[in-house]
Amino acid sequence: MAAHNELGKYGEEEAVTFLQQKGYQILERNWRFQKAEVDIIATNGKVLAVIEVKTRSSLYYGNPQDFVNPKKIQLLVKAINNYVNYKDLDVEVRFDIIGIYKTEHICEIEHLEDAFYHF
C-alpha cells in the first residue's frame, strides 16, 4: 500500500476513535455512491453527521481541511441525499470535516462541525 494511502487509513482510524470518544455512533465507513465516497457517516443525538477526513504529514501547502474542494462537496451532498432517501431517514444532516496533522512526533486532530452547508 502506498504511503499516502496508509496515512489516509491511519487518519480515518484516528477520526473514528475520536468521534466515538465524543459519543458518536458510527453507522458507515467508506460508504460509496456512484463516484462519491463518504469517509464516515455517524449519528450524534438526532443529527446525521457526514464526516470527510483529511490527513496530512505536512502543513506546507495548507491545513488538511483546506483540501475539501467544491467538487468533493457536490459529490458528498449527492451521496448523502441518496443515503437519506434509501434509508428513509428523517434526520437533520450536518457536514463535518476532521483535519488530522500527523508527523513522527505529533498527531493533531481538528473537528470542524458544520464545515459546509448543502442547499
Side-chain angles (χ1 to χ4, degrees), residues 33 35-36 38 70-80:
F33 174 73
K35 295 180 181 180
V38 181
K71 179 68 175 173
K72 180 64 175 183
I73 292 170
Q74 182 182 27
L75 289 171
L76 288 172
V77 169
K78 185 176 181 181
I80 290 306

Side-chain angles (χ1 to χ4, degrees), residues 51-70:
I51 299 128
E52 176 68 12
V53 180
K54 290 294 182 187
T55 308
R56 295 291 182 266
S57 59
S58 168
L59 298 178
Y60 183 78
Y61 294 105
N63 293 318
Q65 54 272 23
D66 296 339
F67 291 88
V68 180
N69 61 36

